[in-house]
Amino acid sequence: MKILIFSLLAIGTLSMSACKDNKEQTANTTMQHDMKGMKDGQMMEGTNMTVTAAKKSSANLDELTLNYMELTSALANDDDGKAASVGKNIVQSLAKIDQSSFSTEQKKGFADIVADLKEHAEHIGENAGNIEHQREHLDLLSADFYDLVKDFGTSKPVYKVFCPMYNESKGAFWLSNSAEVKNPYYGKDMLSCGEVQEEIK
């Protein structure tokens, strides 16, 4: 009788372990994707995009947003010279944003975000010829730009796109004015690597 009970326990344990391993295998298989086999702009299957309503403010971020989009486009095209030029434009457009109607709280939040944006844009602007360094700063700049868009609004929808491969598979995101995936972290090597995670409007 004891042998029978131990046998049943062993079989149950093996079954549960195999199920768990199978779930992990399935999850890993879902995350892995053949970059060469994906068409440009194709989103990974099984993704759920969330839609977020940004806070509305009187801030006009159109010029800044346009420059940011030009930066991601330049890096997606492996054009470090253009990226450097646009990095300098970002610094200039930050200075033009009218804060006169901001509340005291908004001014503080804006100042904190803009200080970081400026620092990263300056690094990108000063590093023509070093596209990897520019991409590292795009990662950081994108996080700040995301906060800015969510806190101060945007006149057009913006998409948050995530690349799971960048930064030693820790992943990184960027913002896009289109749901079409054009990866600025890998450029032409893996242009379509990424998934749209969120729409901000």
Side-chain angles (χ1 to χ4, degrees):
M1 186 67 176
K2 285 183 182 178
I3 294 173
L4 179 61
I5 291 170
F6 283 124
S7 298
L8 289 173
L9 284 172
I11 291 170
T13 303
L14 286 173
S15 297
M16 289 174 68
S17 175
C19 182
K20 182 182 175 208
D21 290 344
N22 190 32
K23 283 181 184 172
E24 288 176 359
Q25 179 73 25
T26 303
N28 288 337
T29 305
T30 303
M31 250 339 253
Q32 295 171 358
H33 50 282
D34 181 5
M35 300 307 158
K36 305 269 186 220
M38 288 175 72
K39 295 178 185 172
D40 286 350
Q42 181 180 351
M43 292 190 292
M44 290 191 281
E45 292 181 18
T47 60
N48 292 320
M49 180 178 67
T50 59
V51 178
T52 304
K55 294 176 186 173
K56 298 299 175 193
S57 75
S58 61
N60 184 342
L61 304 179
D62 289 350
E63 183 180 337
L64 177 62
T65 302
L66 178 64
N67 284 321
Y68 174 87
M69 298 304 168
E70 286 180 3
L71 173 62
T72 60
S73 177
L75 292 173
N77 289 317
D78 300 319
D79 190 343
D80 57 287
K82 173 75 172 171
S85 174
V86 178
K88 293 172 184 173
N89 291 345
I90 288 174
V91 174
Q92 292 173 1
S93 60
L94 284 168
K96 295 179 189 175
I97 297 172
D98 181 12
Q99 303 175 47
S100 60
S101 62
F102 289 5
S103 67
T104 305
E105 186 180 333
Q106 283 179 318
K107 283 181 181 176
K108 184 183 181 319
F110 184 79
D112 290 343
I113 294 170
V114 166
D116 290 338
L117 279 171
K118 184 179 177 188
E119 178 186 344
H120 300 305
E122 285 172 343
H123 272 274
I124 292 167
E126 293 164 0
N127 278 281
N130 188 352
I131 199 164
E132 292 310 316
H133 190 67
Q134 289 176 325
R135 286 172 169 153
E136 288 168 11
H137 280 279
L138 173 68
D139 180 11
L140 301 168
L141 185 142
S142 293
D144 294 317
F145 191 70
Y146 175 77
D147 290 341
L148 188 70
V149 167
K150 285 190 79 169
D151 288 348
F152 291 90
T154 177
S155 62
K156 295 177 182 175
V158 173
Y159 300 89
K160 179 183 176 187
V161 191
F162 182 73
C163 169
M165 307 284 288
Y166 188 69
N167 195 15
E168 298 177 353
S169 295
K170 292 174 188 167
F173 70 86
W174 72 97
L175 299 180
S176 175
N177 56 5
S178 164
E180 182 180 6
V181 175
K182 290 189 177 179
N183 190 318
Y185 296 114
Y186 286 110
K188 293 172 186 171
D189 287 343
M190 289 194 282
L191 190 61
S192 59
C193 174
E195 62 177 328
V196 177
Q197 290 185 328
E198 184 178 1
E199 180 183 4
I200 306 163
K201 57 183 183 178

